[in-house]
């Protein structure tokens, strides 16, 4: 497989960075090709804006989805966005390596999604879920979690981890057509001892060496949800300002 | 009430910006004081990093939560973070005004949460949920949604909006002690006609004029969830690298 790892941690000596290094080595040992985006090291700008577009249709007023659609049609995304899209298009497997911050993605990685998974490119008028622009590819969330697993259960203080990850796994990954593998979760990372931390790395490496044999989670299929509006979406050129 | 509105939209002529303007006018008409942070206009940097700290304890290796704790103890947050915290401390009501992007906050607003809602300041070792650092205050999500309401129902393609907003309402707002009012949702904004858009503005203004009489949603109380570990958290100085 061709694996693309998007890494979002500010500190090269962090445990999350150790997971990132472990993933690259394990995937290569498993015979897979690896490319990466280390968002902090790249100085990736997570703020969506006019700078996303090399040749915007309207330089005075930014309608973000319309400009994304135009940039997709004319292949005029800004270089930093286009470079990420090229890696996504190349990949069979996309791994998001990050610490869980506020039940979600760090800002730098959320902004990466906002900018890179563009309308007209990663999804479109009728290209969503199993017809999404990145269909045929798989995704894995590989997450360092501050709290222990016991807190992320249904009925526990934080609720089930599936519920916490729903907006990411369904609202981002599935939405653009990625089939989602069960997340890799390193629990209580700031609290556990060295042996437990090492065991997570070992388990992660073993899993990644055979990742091509895994079965994705059930897909959030658009075809199972007849559109209550009798249409999938409006013509993108007819979208009004949001 | 003292209301603080955090606004996250790139385009001053957008519908979300109209909601932002409407909110300010309606709150003032209702006799409330208003302060704002227009994140795009401010050029707010949503990337958490060493620059968050005016006098970090360790300039070589960034342990983000430890430095947040240190900055809270010594009141040495960077000026942009401290300015946002000062507005939060001042406010009785915090409104987050944004378009729903990827079932969540735009990157610039997620990064604002990462940086501003700091460990040791907005939450701590045993200050979470009903004992969170911002307790006694209320919060409201005021959201422009691209899709129609029919798609955000349980059993519909996107799932119930409460499920989509769970990580934000519970994992961010409740977590730091904010009592959450039912969200204000403007549905299908890029698709609906002028009359519908105007009706949302009117309804939003009417709601905000009497916002002090509203009842918050049930609070996610820490006291209802006995800690399965028999402790609330570790001593912050003992946290390891995540």
């Amino acid at each position: 497989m061709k694996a693309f790892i998007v890494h979002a941690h500010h500190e090269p000596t962090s445990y999350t960075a150790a997971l990132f290094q472990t993933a690259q080595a394990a995937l290569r040992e498993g015979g897979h090709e690896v490319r990466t985006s280390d968002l902090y090291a790249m100085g990736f700008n997570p703020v969506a804006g006019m700078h996303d577009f090399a040749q915007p249709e309207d330089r005075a007023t930014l309608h973000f989805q319309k400009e994304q659609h135009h940039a997709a049609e004319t292949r005029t995304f800004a270089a930093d966005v286009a470079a990420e899209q090229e890696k996504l298009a190349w990949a069979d497997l996309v791994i998001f390596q990050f610490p869980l911050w506020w039940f979600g993605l760090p800002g730098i990685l959320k902004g990466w999604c906002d900018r890179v998974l563009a309308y007209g490119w990663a999804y479109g008028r009728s290209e969503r879920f199993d017809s999404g622009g990145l269909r045929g590819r798989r995704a894995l969330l590989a997450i360092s979690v501050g709290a222990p697993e016991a807190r992320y259960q249904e009925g526990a203080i934080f609720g089930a981890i599936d519920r916490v990850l729903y907006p990411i796994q369904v609202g981002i990954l599935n939405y653009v057509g990625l089939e989602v593998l069960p997340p890799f979760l390193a629990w209580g990372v700031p609290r556990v001892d060295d042996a437990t931390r090492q065991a997570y790395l070992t388990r992660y490496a073993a899993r990644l060496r055979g990742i091509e044999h895994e079965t994705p989670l059930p897909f959030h299929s658009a075809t199972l949800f007849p559109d209550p509006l009798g249409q999938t979406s409006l013509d993108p050129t007819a979208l009004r300002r949001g």
Side-chain angles (χ1 to χ4, degrees), chain A:
Chain A
M1 295 181 94
K2 294 170 180 166
F4 172 33
I5 311 177
V6 185
H7 172 62
H9 199 289
H10 49 274
E11 175 51 52
T13 66
S14 65
Y15 186 74
T16 306
L19 288 166
F20 176 50
Q21 296 302 329
T22 295
Q24 294 174 67
L27 286 164
R28 291 193 174 108
E29 282 166 29
H32 308 293
E33 288 181 73
V34 180
R35 294 173 71 184
T36 62
S37 285
D38 180 341
L39 300 186
Y40 270 87
M42 295 157 68
F44 187 82
N45 175 11
V47 180
M50 194 70 87
H51 50 257
D52 286 20
F53 311 107
Q55 295 170 35
E57 270 197 304
D58 182 346
R59 290 185 187 272
T61 305
L62 176 54
H63 188 311
F64 195 63
Q65 279 187 309
K66 275 192 186 178
E67 290 294 351
Q68 286 189 323
H69 184 260
H70 175 69
E73 295 279 303
T74 55
R75 301 176 180 240
T76 54
F77 285 104
D80 60 346
V81 171
E84 299 305 297
Q85 292 174 338
E86 188 271 322
K87 292 181 199 176
L88 283 169
W90 167 85
D92 304 306
L93 170 68
V94 187
I95 299 177
F96 295 88
Q97 187 80 61
F98 62 97
L100 193 68
W101 282 3
W102 296 112
F103 285 31
L105 304 174
I108 198 171
L109 182 51
K110 178 54 171 60
W112 183 94
C113 295
D114 295 342
R115 299 184 65 210
V116 174
L117 302 178
Y119 184 62
W121 187 82
Y123 69 107
R125 191 177 176 182
S126 54
E127 293 81 37
R128 289 185 294 190
F129 297 112
D130 39 1
S131 58
L134 294 174
R135 63 188 177 279
R137 296 171 178 81
R138 293 173 167 203
L140 170 70
L141 300 181
I143 313 177
S144 315
V145 186
E149 186 170 10
R151 292 197 184 137
Y152 284 101
Q153 307 294 325
E154 203 58 54
I157 188 161
F158 296 156
I161 191 69
D162 284 355
R163 197 210 296 205
V164 171
L165 300 181
Y166 176 81
I168 307 173
Q169 297 202 142
V170 173
I172 301 177
L173 305 183
N174 260 191
Y175 198 94
V176 297
L178 294 166
E179 294 183 75
V180 181
L181 299 173
F184 178 82
L185 298 153
W187 299 103
V189 163
R191 296 170 169 78
V192 296
D193 62 17
D194 279 339
T196 308
R197 286 159 76 105
Q198 185 55 50
Y200 286 139
L201 295 175
T202 304
R203 196 192 312 164
Y204 187 37
R207 183 172 167 190
L208 290 177
R209 279 193 292 267
I211 193 83
E212 70 272 27
H213 304 298
E214 291 198 10
T215 302
L217 297 169
F219 205 92
H220 195 79
S221 168
T223 58
L224 298 179
F225 297 93
D227 195 309
L229 309 174
Q231 57 176 16
T232 52
S233 191
L234 279 189
D235 182 336
T237 60
L239 289 172
R240 306 188 63 194
R241 290 186 203 168

